[in-house]
Amino acid sequence: MSESRLTMRGVSKRFGATVALRNVNLAVQRGPVMGLVGENGAGKSTLMKVLSGAHAPDEGMMTLDGEPYRPRHPLDARRQGVAMIYQELSLAPHLSVAENVLLGIEPTLGPFVRRKQAQKITRHALNQVGLEHVSPTAIVGHLSLAQQQLVEIARAVATECRVLVLDEPTSSLTRQDIDRLFALIRRLKAKGMAIIYISHFLEEVRAVCDRFSVLRDGESVGEGEVSQVGNNEIIAMMVGRQVDDLYPRNVHQAGEVVLSLHELAGKRKPASASLQLRRGEVLGIAGLIGAGRTEMMRAIFGMDPLRSGQVKIGLFNASTTSRGNWRRGAGMVSEDRKNEGLAVGLSIAQNVTLPKLRGLGPWRFVRPGRQNTAVKPWIEKLAIRCQSASASVSSLSGGNQQKVAIARLLHADVDVLLLDEPTRGIDVGSKAQIYRLIDELARGGKAVLMVSSYLPELLGVCDRIAVMCRGRLGEARPVDQWNEHDLMVAAIGKDEQAA
Amino acid sequence: MNQAAADKGRLDFLRSPWVNTLGRFMALALVFLFFALMVEDGKFVSLRNMENIARQSAVYATAALGMTLVIIAAGIELSVGSIIALSVIIVAWVLNLSAVGKDGVTVYLIQQHPVMLPIVALAAGVFIAVVSGMCNGALIVGLRLAPFIVTLGTMGIFRGLAKGIAHEKDIYPPQDTWLTGIMDPTLTNPAKQWMLLPVGIWMLIVAAIAAALLLRYTRFGRHVYAVGSNEETARLCGVPVGRTKILVYTLAGLFAGLAGLMQFSFISGIGQPMTGVSYELFVIAAVVIGGGSLMGGEGSILGSIIGALIITILYMGGQQMGWPKWVQEMVIGGIIIAAVALDQLRHPRK
């Protein structure tokens, strides 16, 4: 392995008494893309922080092109040619593309930035990542998410990077953008850049990676050629057990209609959406990001105003406020856990009981003790790993946070559950639990409307699926009449295919 | 893993609300002890001085009750000093009302109604403060403006209004009334010793208990924390965000009005339109020293009262030590930064 561009040998890292990494080994060559997989909390982000110089390892050593590699801080790592593209974009939205690309490494003359040269370098970097049409002087905040991500990669390219690390890069990209990103990764790989690709999605790892390495509980538990193992084997390595029935398949008994949309149109999106959701049914909404699915959910729930059309929850017209819709027996889980879904500074009990504080004390009073006891059954039922109901939500892992967001609907005992990307960014174990919960709720007579960008999950969990394409919701068909290919075709739409 | 659990347990213990409050009490005791030992002849621990500390801090503490609500809801209230002045002026103005009788002689109403008129004055003073607070809330919610901007504006508007009503002069009501005496010393005055504490301080105690109960044990209180911690989440969960905010600023006005009554008595019953200038800084500092986070979602009533006491003790102790004003200002400023820095150490950011 002397030709490895980057190696990590026996790397360990402790925080207090918690072992985050234990004797991790990794070797990355120029060329083959290394996929790094593992559940949330497996230590992937700690590993990346060690690599980027944000944390110093307690034990072990790293080499870069055979030389010892000990970055003192992130800028140092970047100067040595190790660039990170994080899950959450780390760009300054008010600054221009050029300012972002060269942030911290601006070409200067004395105290002044050499603007002409800065633009030239940026231009060159943008060309390499396929952003020829974006001006170096454009303001980053005005670009689309996908373009912003490419700007981040341009930033890596501009510094002559030797190792590029991408952490969950596709979490907010559309299918087309993902394909473009993959094409770019293949181009960079052909140029001899060493690439580490971190993802939850094994399909992506399969599509873009050549080798893979699995982390579990801070340890390297396996690696190999992607082409030589099946997904189930990799998942088994990730969770330490065989997960063959990720999706429970039970027969659901559809009852009366509890949610109906009639030509719903929002301010900008959706253009038109009609559907009927029955008790005991899980209805999935597929579509590309930006098709208007989240906007539809928000409009149903009264979070955004309607332009026209009608929403009925139960027998009555839906309220124009979320407050009224909780009262009508509907509840929503937001796609954006951190910014909208949860008040992470507050306790689990606070977050769960917020929509329904009634009954937790006399009159308009609330007894904190009653809040805690009311939440305990849900903590047990959803297996939320926490110290107590009064623990702050920020102390939980992503999967457990998501369970808190879902527990809120259970506490409010709603009949109609609007779930927007309920498993985004959480580990396989938590996903399986959420799938089982959805199945159980449907069997208990609840109605679930679920938006997801992850097709296997929709096909695995839903009874019927409808596809939204450019703001228009198609007909909901039983799940056995769909497959991934058809869903994708419907999501992309006819005109796109012709073009 | 047991070691890890024990470590985590210890950290959680450090973050528990009890330790939190205990720590602040200790800081208060330390500051007090410092001046008790440093000021000559034990003058600092004399009954008179202790009473003065309580009287002086009552104004800040009462206004800080409202500021605590505002800051927990992730807002800010810069007009609090101006609202205090406005209510002081309205109280003085009402007490100064006069009528011209049939015989052409000017008669002060206070002489005809020595008990009723102070009640009217009190009601008017508190009412104007409540309305001012409601204006702040309505502007912030209705125009979707940042609280900093709105209250920066109303800070000028309310102050201007107070000056206008007073014709830019101090208002001297013709005679003292019971309202003038609500902050009079009690322990050092045999005639009033039975009250134990001045009426104003009793008002503060009742208001503080009410505010603490409101925050901790009502739906409104839970909503205030939710709005402050994450407004989008609150909206998603059906919290009436606008209504909650307006109520928060209205209550802040109410508490500023009560503080205004105390201030009126404290400045010996004179309607000074320039009173309470820069009080917003002391009041915000009291809340922040008491554990309030300007990012919202954190803060406590007891903490804010301790904060108000710490600031008053620093202020008065400094005076008695003969520190020049500039030293006092620097010390108070330093303490604010140190208090918040300590808080963050204990409470590391993710």
Side-chain angles (χ1 to χ4, degrees):
Chain A
M1 285 282 171
S2 56
E3 77 276 28
S4 288
R5 168 142 269 187
L6 175 86
T7 64
M8 300 179 95
R9 238 174 268 137
V11 171
S12 298
K13 177 75 192 169
R14 271 177 223 91
F15 295 103
T18 316
V19 180
L21 293 176
R22 195 196 311 262
N23 201 13
V24 170
N25 298 307
L26 191 70
V28 186
Q29 270 85 30
R30 308 171 52 139
V33 177
M34 169 64 83
L36 187 65
V37 295
E39 287 192 292
N40 277 354
K44 287 174 299 183
S45 31
T46 312
L47 188 65
M48 289 309 111
K49 281 185 179 152
V50 168
L51 209 49
S52 70
H55 293 323
D58 297 329
E59 285 164 38
M61 66 171 298
M62 300 189 281
T63 60
L64 189 60
D65 283 332
E67 302 281 312
Y69 169 64
R70 280 189 222 94
R72 283 162 296 142
H73 47 79
L75 190 59
D76 188 26
R78 207 179 147 196
R79 288 205 179 109
Q80 296 195 44
V82 177
M84 305 271 153
I85 311 295
Y86 288 109
Q87 207 168 341
E88 270 131 28
L89 298 175
S90 53
L91 295 169
H94 297 105
L95 301 186
S96 74
V97 171
E99 281 162 331
N100 268 290
V101 166
L102 297 174
L103 198 60
I105 50 161
E106 296 87 350
T108 51
L109 187 67
F112 302 105
V113 175
R114 299 170 66 182
R115 298 183 72 90
K116 280 272 155 55
Q117 199 189 344
Q119 296 200 1
K120 215 175 93 190
I121 299 172
T122 308
R123 174 85 280 155
H124 182 67
L126 290 177
N127 287 345
Q128 280 182 282
V129 300
L131 280 181
E132 297 85 0
H133 51 284
V134 169
S135 156
T137 55
I139 299 300
V140 160
H142 297 167
L143 303 179
S144 75
L145 268 180
Q147 288 173 324
Q148 292 186 25
Q149 189 154 44
L150 293 174
V151 170
E152 284 227 37
I153 298 176
R155 179 148 90 180
V157 172
T159 48
E160 314 249 313
C161 108
R162 295 194 270 180
V163 181
L164 178 67
V165 184
L166 299 123
D167 186 6
E168 299 276 351
T170 60
S171 53
S172 45
L173 295 190
T174 65
R175 189 75 208 193
Q176 291 151 288
D177 290 327
I178 291 174
D179 289 340
R180 275 190 214 121
L181 177 69
F182 286 180
L184 171 62
I185 291 175
R186 289 186 197 106
R187 280 209 303 280
L188 294 175
K189 150 181 150 181
K191 284 190 184 164
M193 195 183 276
I195 298 172
I196 302 179
Y197 188 94
I198 306 174
S199 180
H200 283 305
F201 297 104
L202 295 184
E203 292 80 1
E204 288 181 3
V205 171
R206 204 158 275 287
V208 78
C209 300
D210 305 290
R211 294 184 61 78
F212 72 93
S213 176
V214 182
L215 272 189
R216 184 175 78 230
D217 299 331
E219 290 182 78
S220 311
V221 292
E223 57 170 30
E225 297 280 332
V226 172
S227 56
Q228 286 169 14
V229 288
N231 279 356
N232 278 345
E233 278 170 79
I234 299 181
I235 290 177
M237 284 186 220
M238 284 163 69
V239 299
R241 65 193 136 82
Q242 204 75 34
V243 184
D244 33 22
D245 51 351
L246 196 56
Y247 306 110
R249 265 269 148 243
N250 287 303
V251 182
H252 297 155
Q253 219 31 274
E256 81 266 20
V257 174
V258 284
L259 173 73
S260 68
L261 312 185
H262 183 69
E263 307 205 332
L264 171 79
K267 268 264 159 64
R268 276 177 40 241
K269 285 175 198 166
S272 163
S274 302
L275 64 81
Q276 293 205 317
L277 176 66
R278 295 170 180 278
R279 268 186 192 287
E281 189 180 44
V282 183
L283 176 50
I285 307 290
L288 302 177
I289 285 164
R293 297 171 300 165
T294 294
E295 289 84 349
M296 179 185 83
M297 297 292 251
R298 293 178 63 88
I300 294 173
F301 203 54
M303 303 279 292
D304 288 337
L306 295 187
R307 197 178 59 216
S308 64
Q310 198 183 31
V311 182
K312 273 189 172 182
I313 295 175
L315 295 172
F316 306 103
N317 283 333
S319 166
T320 52
T321 65
S322 55
R323 186 177 179 71
N325 287 321
W326 283 102
R327 294 224 172 113
R328 281 167 176 72
M332 180 163 142
V333 169
S334 167
E335 53 151 1
D336 188 349
R337 196 159 57 228
K338 273 204 192 109
N339 294 319
E340 184 177 57
L342 292 166
V344 291
L346 299 183
S347 71
I348 299 172
Q350 294 281 18
N351 270 284
V352 171
T353 55
L354 195 53
K356 195 181 151 215
L357 290 164
R358 239 174 311 167
L360 297 173
W363 199 46
R364 292 190 67 86
F365 290 94
V366 176
R367 288 180 28 202
R370 290 266 285 274
Q371 278 184 297
N372 288 343
T373 43
V375 170
K376 273 202 189 105
W378 306 123
I379 290 181
E380 280 161 29
K381 188 172 164 61
L382 298 183
I384 298 173
R385 291 224 313 242
C386 62
Q387 293 216 311
S388 72
S390 51
S392 140
V393 166
S394 61
S395 68
L396 305 179
S397 72
N400 283 308
Q401 289 188 353
Q402 189 66 8
K403 290 185 208 166
V404 171
I406 294 176
R408 185 185 281 154
L409 308 193
L410 303 183
H411 169 76
D413 195 24
V414 295
D415 289 328
V416 180
L417 292 89
L418 307 171
L419 309 180
D420 197 354
E421 303 281 5
T423 65
R424 168 177 289 176
I426 68 177
D427 55 88
V428 178
S430 300
K431 275 185 186 174
Q433 283 171 324
I434 288 175
Y435 299 146
R436 247 178 281 134
L437 178 73
I438 291 173
D439 176 58
E440 198 180 313
L441 289 169
R443 275 188 288 151
K446 308 277 189 198
V448 180
L449 184 63
M450 170 170 156
V451 165
S452 174
S453 299
Y454 185 48
L455 299 179
E457 150 181 306
L458 283 176
L459 291 165
V461 174
C462 300
D463 301 306
R464 290 189 297 154
I465 299 177
V467 180
M468 182 164 271
C469 175
R470 292 193 203 141
R472 299 197 168 271
L473 187 66
E475 187 200 349
R477 284 194 259 151
V479 67
D480 48 21
Q481 295 180 21
W482 288 111
N483 58 37
E484 282 196 43
H485 178 257
D486 293 349
L487 284 173
M488 219 48 241
V489 169
I492 291 165
K494 288 206 177 76
D495 338 30
E496 195 87 4
Q497 276 192 311
Chain B
M1 265 344 245
N2 266 338
Q3 183 58 40
D7 260 29
K8 202 158 174 354
R10 205 161 64 219
L11 272 177
D12 277 2
F13 170 71
L14 271 178
R15 281 170 205 166
S16 83
W18 285 112
V19 174
N20 204 335
T21 314
L22 205 70
R24 286 179 217 292
F25 266 117
M26 272 162 57
L28 176 62
L30 257 153
V31 173
F32 182 80
L33 212 65
F34 174 79
F35 288 111
L37 294 175
M38 296 300 284
V39 175
E40 290 166 18
D41 308 333
K43 273 185 206 152
F44 197 76
V45 288
S46 70
L47 203 58
R48 178 180 297 274
N49 194 50
M50 305 270 278
E51 191 166 42
N52 278 339
I53 290 172
R55 289 166 63 226
Q56 170 99 59
S57 56
V59 177
Y60 297 148
T62 308
L65 300 178
M67 189 67 81
T68 307
L69 293 178
V70 168
I71 284 179
I72 291 175
I76 196 78
E77 220 284 60
L78 298 177
S79 69
V80 59
S82 298
I83 295 182
I84 288 175
L86 190 54
S87 81
V88 165
I89 288 300
I90 291 292
V91 168
W93 184 79
V94 171
L95 292 177
N96 201 32
L97 282 176
S98 59
V100 181
K102 279 180 195 135
D103 46 4
V105 180
T106 308
V107 184
Y108 283 104
L109 292 182
I110 189 76
Q111 284 152 353
Q112 291 170 345
H113 308 283
V115 180
M116 272 309 290
L117 199 64
I119 295 179
V120 174
L122 180 152
V126 173
F127 179 75
I128 192 89
V130 169
V131 171
S132 306
M134 204 187 284
C135 285
N136 278 337
L139 288 170
I140 288 163
V141 172
L143 299 180
R144 296 179 191 205
L145 291 176
F148 188 96
I149 304 296
V150 167
T151 57
L152 186 65
T154 57
M155 176 164 90
I157 293 173
F158 298 151
R159 175 74 61 185
L161 198 59
K163 285 185 188 170
I165 292 170
H167 301 293
E168 302 204 52
K169 283 184 294 223
D170 290 356
I171 299 178
Y172 292 90
Q175 68 184 61
D176 281 355
T177 64
W178 58 265
L179 190 56
T180 320
I182 59 169
M183 290 303 278
D184 284 356
T186 50
L187 291 176
T188 47
N189 175 359
K192 287 191 169 184
Q193 215 160 19
W194 61 273
M195 284 200 257
L196 213 60
L197 295 171
V199 178
I201 294 184
W202 285 117
M203 275 167 50
L204 163 63
I205 292 172
V206 172
I209 292 174
L213 293 180
L214 187 72
L215 263 178
R216 190 163 162 73
Y217 292 104
T218 66
R219 269 186 240 167
F220 167 71
R222 305 288 87 182
H223 289 172
V224 172
Y225 276 100
V227 167
S229 182
N230 188 341
E231 190 173 328
E232 292 308 312
T233 306
R235 194 163 280 130
L236 177 77
C237 289
V239 172
V241 174
R243 210 199 298 163
T244 303
K245 280 192 187 171
I246 291 177
L247 195 51
V248 161
Y249 285 93
T250 308
L251 284 171
L254 170 70
F255 289 121
L258 294 180
L261 297 180
M262 296 177 193
Q263 180 74 355
F264 175 72
S265 168
F266 202 73
I267 55 178
S268 353
I270 303 164
Q272 300 174 355
M274 285 310 284
T275 195
V277 169
S278 83
Y279 272 29
E280 60 280 350
L281 297 181
F282 291 120
V283 173
I284 293 170
V287 175
V288 169
I289 289 178
S293 158
L294 292 181
M295 305 293 290
E298 280 177 64
S300 82
I301 295 290
L302 188 57
S304 298
I305 291 176
I306 294 173
L309 279 168
I310 289 179
I311 287 199
T312 313
I313 289 175
L314 283 172
Y315 188 74
M316 293 184 61
Q319 253 172 3
Q320 287 169 34
M321 296 273 291
W323 291 350
K325 196 144 174 64
W326 62 269
V327 174
Q328 277 179 42
E329 284 170 2
M330 286 176 67
V331 167
I332 294 182
I335 293 279
I336 294 172
I337 295 174
V340 177
L342 261 174
D343 243 16
Q344 265 191 3
L345 267 183
R346 210 174 46 84
H347 208 75
R349 292 178 59 142
K350 293 258 154 180

